[in-house]
Amino acid sequence: EEAEDYFEDRSPQAPNWAEAGDDAKTRALLTAARLLDSMIVWDGTRSTTTQAMDFPRDFLLDLEDAEVTGIPKELQWAQCELAESVLAEDRTEESASEGIASLGVGSIKIDFSENRPKQRNVIPEVVWDFIGQWGRPITSASHGKLVRG
């Protein structure tokens, strides 16, 4: 219901959400929540050791140094924006030609790129605008999580 309220104000800018059925919307919101949990190192600590997701968190401060309790509305908005993006395209899918510089046919030739493939932008900028104050992307230099589906 919160997602519907959020998008009601933005309907012209959220065509994928407006056209999606209830099941697709639910799956997109769940996927968005999982992506936010698995791709971001969040500040603070989980409120309990038994909670399934990374939020709510303890020791999390807003921009005015007040403690954030529960699940911040900005995180809910970010999840909605990411769900809209998930409905538009699979943001985690690898390109079939990623890492390949050129292909051939006669005498079959494949040249591989010497450059590392660029990191996919799974989390859109609008999402970072909402949540960037509380976390940073997981990179190879930061710790990772084991996520089982």
Side-chain angles (χ1 to χ4, degrees):
E1 185 175 315
E2 289 88 1
E4 292 294 341
D5 291 343
Y6 176 79
F7 282 117
E8 187 174 298
D9 293 335
R10 305 189 57 252
S11 59
Q13 293 89 22
N16 300 299
W17 184 266
E19 295 172 8
D22 290 344
D23 287 345
K25 289 176 181 179
T26 299
R27 284 192 309 274
L29 286 166
L30 289 171
T31 298
R34 288 184 189 118
L35 288 171
L36 291 169
D37 263 15
S38 66
M39 301 195 77
I40 298 173
V41 178
W42 295 103
D43 296 342
T45 60
R46 288 181 174 202
S47 293
T48 69
T49 58
T50 57
Q51 68 192 56
M53 305 294 284
D54 282 346
F55 274 83
R57 299 188 73 74
D58 291 333
F59 311 110
L60 190 68
L61 303 176
D62 66 15
L63 295 174
E64 295 159 358
D65 289 332
E67 187 167 2
V68 175
T69 58
I71 299 174
K73 67 181 180 320
E74 293 88 350
L75 178 60
Q76 294 172 32
W77 298 340
Q79 182 183 1
C80 290
E81 290 291 344
L82 186 51
E84 165 69 11
S85 294
V86 165
L87 287 168
E89 65 179 315
D90 183 352
R91 300 190 66 82
T92 62
E93 184 177 46
E94 292 183 20
S95 166
S97 62
E98 189 170 355
I100 298 175
S102 66
L103 293 172
V105 174
S107 298
I108 304 177
K109 180 181 176 184
I110 301 176
D111 291 323
F112 293 95
S113 173
E114 293 183 20
N115 299 327
R116 289 184 61 202
K118 68 178 186 175
Q119 188 172 1
R120 284 178 301 286
N121 187 17
V122 176
I123 308 291
E125 284 301 314
V126 66
V127 172
W128 284 114
D129 290 345
F130 287 130
I131 60 170
Q133 62 185 321
W134 296 310
R136 63 191 182 283
I138 290 178
T139 64
S140 58
S142 64
H143 77 280
K145 295 182 186 179
L146 176 62
V147 178
R148 298 177 192 241

